Amino acid sequence: MNKRYDPKKIEPKWQAHWTENNQFKATEDTSKKKYYLLEMFPYPSGKIHMGHVRNYTIGDVIARYKAMKGFNVLHPMGWDAFGMPAENAAIANNTQPAAWTYENIEAMKHQLKQLGFSYDWDREIATCTPDYYRWEQWLFIQMFKQGIAYRKESYVNWCDPCQTVLANEQVENGDCWRCGKPVRQKKLSQWFFKITDFAQDLLDHCDQLPGWPDKVTTMQKNWIGRSTGAEINFAIENSDHVITVFTTRHDTVLGATFMCLAPEHPMVESLSKGTPQESVIVEFQERMAKENRSSQNIEDYEKEGVFTGAWCINPLTNRRMPVYAANFALMEYGTGAVMSVPAHDQRDFEFAKKYELDIIVVIKPEDQDIKNVAVTEAYTGPGIMVNSLQFDGIGNKEAQKKIAAFLEKENLGKQAISYRLRDWGISRQRFWGTPVPMIHCEDCGIVPVAEEDLPVVLPENIDLLEGGSSPLSRLASFVNTTCPQCGKPAKRETDTMDTFVESSWYFERYCSPTCDSAMFDKQAVDYWMPVDQYIGGVEHAVLHLLYSRYFTRVLHDLQMVKYKEPFTRLLTQGMVCKETLSCPEHGFLFPEEARVENDTYYCTKCGSKVSVGRVEKMSKSKKNVIDPNILLEKYGADTVRLFCLFAAPPERDLEWNEQSVDGSFRFLNRIWRLVQDLLEKIKPAAPYDGGLNELDDDLKKLFQKTHLTIKKVSKDIDERFHFNTAISAVMELVNLMYIMDLNTTPLSNNIGAGVIRTAVESIILLLSPIVPHFAEELWETLGNKSGSLAATPWPSFREDALITDTCLIVAQVNGKLRGKFNIDTTADDETIKKKALADENVMRFINDRPIKKVIVIKKKLVNIVI
C-alpha cells in the first residue's frame, strides 16, 4: 500500500477498470427490480461547471447506492445539443454549430469520465443527430394528423437579439430567458402544440406526484392557472360579431361601462379599420409591442389605452360601452378581452378616472351607503347587489349563480373554466434545431413529409448569416422539394423546433437508443419507465418538466406508453454559490485575479483594493466561478465529490469554501492513514460476526458504533438523500477509531482484528458511492478479490448491535402491575407503547376490551386504561 494517498494514480486506474469490465452497462432483467436514475442532461457548452459537478455527483451516489442494494440500475448520459448558444458561439468563432457542438461533447465527456460517474456510455445520445430527431419529426407528423400540432398566424413573443420566437414559459418578467433582453410582440405564422387539451389532466395529476417537491407542483398549478367563471358575449354595435369575455366576477357585469382589448387582440385592427382612430390604434399597437407587458409587471405601470372607434352592448343593461385597446389587457389571460367594471376593479377604476368614463356601483357593503362606495378606490369586497335590476338585494355570491343561469337561459353566455396555460408555440426562426417536417404546396396546402423520407436532415456544413438569422430559407438545396401528394414543386418549412421538444422525450430514447424502427422499443420502455428518480434545477418547473409531462400524455394517447407521468420522484438541487469580487477599475474578477493579504483582497491587474460582494449563484457574467479542472488537478475527483455532498443537503444552496474542500481532502487522507496503520493486523482476519458478549468493552463499543453508523447512513440516503449527515456519521466512526488507539487492542483469536476489520470495511463500503476510486483502492488493499465495489452488496446492520443500553419498563393495566420488559433507552413513546400492548400478560388482562388511552412515562412505565 502506498504511504501517500495519490488520486492522480488511483483514479485513472479504476476508471479504466470500470470501462474494461463494462461495470455500468445496463440490460433489461425482469428477475431484478429496476431503478432508473436520471439527471437532466447538459447543454454541451464545452466545459462543465460546479453546478454540473454537484448535480451529477448527487445522481451518481444514488445510482451506485441502489446498485449495491441489488437494483438493476439504468444511469445514462447524453447531450441536449441543439440551441442558440451553439449558433452564437459559431458566429463568434467563425465556425459551424455542428463542429463546435461535437467538439464540446468530446471535451465534456472526458471531464465527466474524470469524475468517475457511473454512466452507461453505450446509451449516449445527442439530440442534434439525425437518428435522434428523425423520431421527433415522426411524432410531429402523428400529432399533425391528430390535430394537436397546427399552424396559425398570431402575435408571438419575439426576441430581437436572438432573432426568434419564445414560448410564454420562456419569457421571464418581460425579458428573454436566454439573453435577458426585452421581448416584444410580433405577428407571425407559427407552429403550435395543443398542450391546452391536457390542461385539466396536468393540473389534476399535480396532486398525484408525492415524490415531487411541493414548490414545483405549486409552480405548475399556478402556471396552468385554472379559473372558474363565465363567458359573456357583448354584441358589437352595428355588426353581427360579438366580443367574448371570460370573467370570474360575472356578479359585476351590470356595472360594466367600457370594454378593453389587449393591443394584440385580433379584433382591435378590424374594429378600428376605416375609422378616424385607425392610425392612432396602429401607433399604439406598435408602441405596446415594445413594452414589457408581462402579468408580473402589469400592476407597476400607468394604465393607458386608445378608443378603437367601436362600441359594444352590455347584454344585461343594453348600455353602449366604448371599446378600448388597453395596455393592462393581456392575451395570455382569458380571451384577451376585459369587461371593465371600474367600481369593483382597481385597474378599471384608474383607467376610468383617467379617461373620464362612467363608474356604476353594483355591489355595496351591507352597512354602507351606496354614495360612499367606490369614491376614491374600487370596492372589491362582498356585499349586496344594487343597480342590478332583478338581482337587486341579494348577496353577490348568490348573484353569481343566478346571473350565470340567466346568461345561459338567454343564450348570452355560459358558465366556463379558463386556463392561463396557452398552446405551446414551438416554431423557432433559428438554424440549429430540428427541422419541422412539413411542406408547403400551392395546390395541396401544408402537408407532412412522407414518413419514409424521414429524417429531414439539417444541413450541417453551412455558414450562418450575420445577425443570427437562419440560412435555411435561402438554401435552395434544402427549401426546394416536391409535394408528397401531387408531386409538383413545393417548398420545405424552414422553421425549426423549440429545443425543449428534444428534451421532452429523451428519457424514453435512453431505454433503447439504437432502436432504428421506432422512437423506442416498447418492451424496453415498459421495463425501465417511468424514471424512478429525476434530478435537476427548479428553474425548469414550468418549462422542461411541464413539457415532458405533456409529451408523455401525447405518447400515452397514441398508445405508445402505459404511463402518464414520466418521473416518479424529483429532486431539485440547490445552486452552487460564491461571493463576488469587484475591482473599481476592472469590474468583476475571477478568483485567480485577486490575491489575499491580511484578509484583504487586491486586484492582480492593478493592485487596487477589491470589494467582496454578497454570496450568489456562480455565473460567468459575475466571474464568481470555480473551474472544476483546477480542483481535479489539485485534489482529485473524490475530494471534489465529497465536498459537494458534505457542504449542504442536496436541496439547499451550496456555498463555496476553499477550506472545506481542503478539509474533505484531509478526511480522506485520515482514513488512508488509518487503514495503512491497521493493515498488517486486520488483513489476515475475517470480519467479526459473533455475539456481543464475547467482546470486551472497547470492542463492543466499536462494533455497536459500526452498526449504528450503517443504519444511520442507510437511512439518510434512503429517506432523504442527506449525504451530509451520512458523511458526518462515518466521520464519527473514524474519530472513534482514532480515539481508541486500536494498535493496543488485543488481537487474540482474531476477534479484535475481526471487529476492527468490520469497522474499516464498513467505512469503505459506506463511502464507496461517494468516493468510489478511493474506496475501490482501499477495498483491494484489504485483500478483497470479489471484483468492483460497485457490484458489492451494501452492508447490513445487526439489530442486536444497535442496543447500546436498556431500561426496565413496568406495564400496568388500570394502574395494576401486569408485566415487565426491557427496551432500548433510545426508544420513543410509540415504540414503548407497541411493546407493552404486545406483551402476553398485558394482552391477557386486556382481553379484547376497548382501550380508552395509553399513558407512557418514558423509561419507567406504561399504564393502559380500559
Side-chain angles (χ1 to χ4, degrees), residues 531-542:
V531 173
D532 294 281
Q533 182 66 59
Y534 200 34
I535 304 172
V538 72
E539 66 271 17
H540 297 291
V542 292

Side-chain angles (χ1 to χ4, degrees), residues 53 88 422 476 509:
V53 175
N88 296 336
R422 291 292 182 262
R509 186 66 180 174

Side-chain angles (χ1 to χ4, degrees), residues 131-132 135 505-513 515 518-520:
D131 59 354
Y132 181 85
W135 297 108
W505 69 281
Y506 78 106
F507 35 87
E508 271 108 3
R509 186 66 180 174
Y510 275 141
C511 298
S512 51
C515 180
M519 284 184 76
F520 43 75

Side-chain angles (χ1 to χ4, degrees), residues 83-85 87-88 152 154-193 223 264 289 291-292 294 331-332 422-430 495-501 542-543 547:
M84 286 184 289
E87 292 187 42
N88 296 336
K152 71 172 182 179
S154 69
Y155 280 94
V156 293
N157 304 307
W158 179 263
C159 177
D160 283 310
C162 295
Q163 284 289 292
T164 193
V165 169
L166 301 173
N168 286 343
E169 294 84 350
Q170 294 166 326
V171 180
E172 299 175 349
N173 296 321
D175 297 331
C176 172
W177 74 292
R178 177 69 72 183
C179 72
K181 296 296 188 293
V183 171
R184 66 182 177 93
Q185 295 295 301
K186 185 176 182 179
K187 200 170 188 178
L188 289 175
S189 291
Q190 297 287 290
W191 287 99
F192 292 85
F193 286 159
W223 189 260
E264 61 272 23
E291 290 197 359
N292 180 354
S294 65
M331 281 304 297
E332 67 187 61
R422 291 292 182 262
D423 281 344
W424 177 11
I426 60 101
S427 285
R428 298 294 178 266
Q429 290 67 45
R430 299 292 296 217
D495 281 356
T496 55
M497 296 191 213
D498 182 1
T499 54
F500 281 103
V501 178
V542 292
L543 287 164
Y547 294 153

Side-chain angles (χ1 to χ4, degrees), residues 372-537:
N372 300 322
V373 180
V375 176
T376 59
E377 62 180 1
Y379 175 68
T380 58
I384 302 300
M385 301 295 292
V386 293
N387 294 326
S388 297
L389 303 176
Q390 67 265 41
F391 305 107
D392 278 355
I394 62 176
N396 70 300
K397 292 297 181 185
E398 183 183 354
Q400 279 195 331
K401 299 175 184 176
K402 292 192 173 184
I403 290 172
F406 178 82
L407 290 168
E408 293 211 27
K409 180 183 176 184
E410 300 297 325
N411 201 30
L412 299 171
K414 61 181 180 179
Q415 294 187 67
I417 294 171
S418 179
Y419 298 92
R420 180 189 177 205
L421 184 68
R422 291 292 182 262
D423 281 344
W424 177 11
I426 60 101
S427 285
R428 298 294 178 266
Q429 290 67 45
R430 299 292 296 217
F431 163 71
W432 190 236
T434 298
V436 174
M438 303 299 288
I439 291 173
H440 298 262
C441 174
E442 288 187 3
D443 294 338
C444 304
I446 303 176
V447 296
V449 172
E451 290 182 21
E452 60 268 22
D453 291 336
L454 295 176
V456 176
V457 177
L458 183 74
E460 294 186 352
N461 298 317
I462 60 174
D463 294 325
L464 298 179
L465 299 178
E466 191 173 336
S469 297
S470 172
L472 291 179
S473 60
R474 306 185 194 183
L475 193 66
S477 60
F478 178 82
V479 174
N480 295 330
T481 185
T482 56
C483 174
Q485 292 187 7
C486 68
K488 293 181 180 179
K491 302 288 186 183
R492 288 195 190 281
E493 173 66 68
T494 57
D495 281 356
T496 55
M497 296 191 213
D498 182 1
T499 54
F500 281 103
V501 178
E502 282 88 67
S503 60
S504 294
W505 69 281
Y506 78 106
F507 35 87
E508 271 108 3
R509 186 66 180 174
Y510 275 141
C511 298
S512 51
T514 59
C515 180
D516 60 2
S517 59
M519 284 184 76
F520 43 75
D521 180 274
K522 284 189 176 182
Q523 284 187 324
V525 164
D526 285 347
Y527 177 78
W528 290 114
M529 287 293 293
V531 173
D532 294 281
Q533 182 66 59
Y534 200 34
I535 304 172

Side-chain angles (χ1 to χ4, degrees), residues 184-474:
R184 66 182 177 93
Q185 295 295 301
K186 185 176 182 179
K187 200 170 188 178
L188 289 175
S189 291
Q190 297 287 290
W191 287 99
F192 292 85
F193 286 159
K194 291 191 74 175
I195 191 173
T196 51
D197 281 1
F198 294 94
Q200 190 59 50
D201 194 56
L202 288 165
L203 185 63
D204 290 341
H205 278 76
C206 282
D207 293 323
Q208 299 174 39
L209 296 169
W212 284 43
D214 289 341
K215 63 182 177 183
V216 175
T217 53
T218 298
M219 289 169 74
Q220 291 209 358
K221 287 178 183 179
N222 292 339
W223 189 260
I224 295 167
R226 186 181 192 270
S227 298
T228 302
E231 283 185 356
I232 307 175
N233 298 320
F234 291 74
I236 298 172
E237 190 176 60
N238 301 321
S239 170
D240 294 331
H241 297 290
V242 299
I243 298 173
T244 300
V245 305
F246 171 81
T247 177
T248 59
R249 291 298 309 273
H250 41 287
D251 52 328
T252 66
V253 63
L254 289 100
T257 60
F258 58 97
M259 177 72 64
C260 287
L261 303 179
E264 61 272 23
H265 193 289
M267 295 187 76
V268 169
E269 187 176 340
S270 61
L271 290 176
S272 62
K273 196 166 186 178
T275 74
Q277 296 297 107
E278 182 175 4
S279 60
V280 182
I281 285 290
V282 170
E283 185 277 330
F284 182 71
Q285 286 180 312
E286 290 175 352
R287 185 160 55 86
M288 289 299 104
K290 299 174 183 177
E291 290 197 359
N292 180 354
R293 293 177 52 250
S294 65
S295 57
Q296 294 94 331
N297 297 324
I298 196 171
E299 303 295 340
D300 298 334
Y301 49 70
E302 184 181 349
K303 312 303 179 285
E304 63 173 311
V306 175
F307 179 47
T308 64
W311 299 74
C312 65
I313 307 300
N314 188 314
L316 270 71
T317 65
N318 288 321
R319 180 188 183 91
R320 290 178 80 229
M321 297 167 48
V323 180
Y324 283 78
N327 64 347
F328 65 89
L330 302 175
M331 281 304 297
E332 67 187 61
Y333 182 77
T335 63
V338 177
M339 67 165 204
S340 295
V341 186
H344 304 291
D345 182 277
Q346 188 59 30
R347 287 174 299 177
D348 298 344
F349 182 87
E350 293 171 14
F351 193 91
K353 286 290 187 181
K354 180 174 182 176
Y355 294 103
E356 299 181 349
L357 299 168
D358 291 342
I359 299 174
I360 298 176
V361 175
V362 291
I363 300 172
K364 76 172 192 70
E366 288 189 44
D367 58 351
Q368 194 170 336
D369 191 283
I370 191 172
K371 294 179 182 179
N372 300 322
V373 180
V375 176
T376 59
E377 62 180 1
Y379 175 68
T380 58
I384 302 300
M385 301 295 292
V386 293
N387 294 326
S388 297
L389 303 176
Q390 67 265 41
F391 305 107
D392 278 355
I394 62 176
N396 70 300
K397 292 297 181 185
E398 183 183 354
Q400 279 195 331
K401 299 175 184 176
K402 292 192 173 184
I403 290 172
F406 178 82
L407 290 168
E408 293 211 27
K409 180 183 176 184
E410 300 297 325
N411 201 30
L412 299 171
K414 61 181 180 179
Q415 294 187 67
I417 294 171
S418 179
Y419 298 92
R420 180 189 177 205
L421 184 68
R422 291 292 182 262
D423 281 344
W424 177 11
I426 60 101
S427 285
R428 298 294 178 266
Q429 290 67 45
R430 299 292 296 217
F431 163 71
W432 190 236
T434 298
V436 174
M438 303 299 288
I439 291 173
H440 298 262
C441 174
E442 288 187 3
D443 294 338
C444 304
I446 303 176
V447 296
V449 172
E451 290 182 21
E452 60 268 22
D453 291 336
L454 295 176
V456 176
V457 177
L458 183 74
E460 294 186 352
N461 298 317
I462 60 174
D463 294 325
L464 298 179
L465 299 178
E466 191 173 336
S469 297
S470 172
L472 291 179
S473 60
R474 306 185 194 183

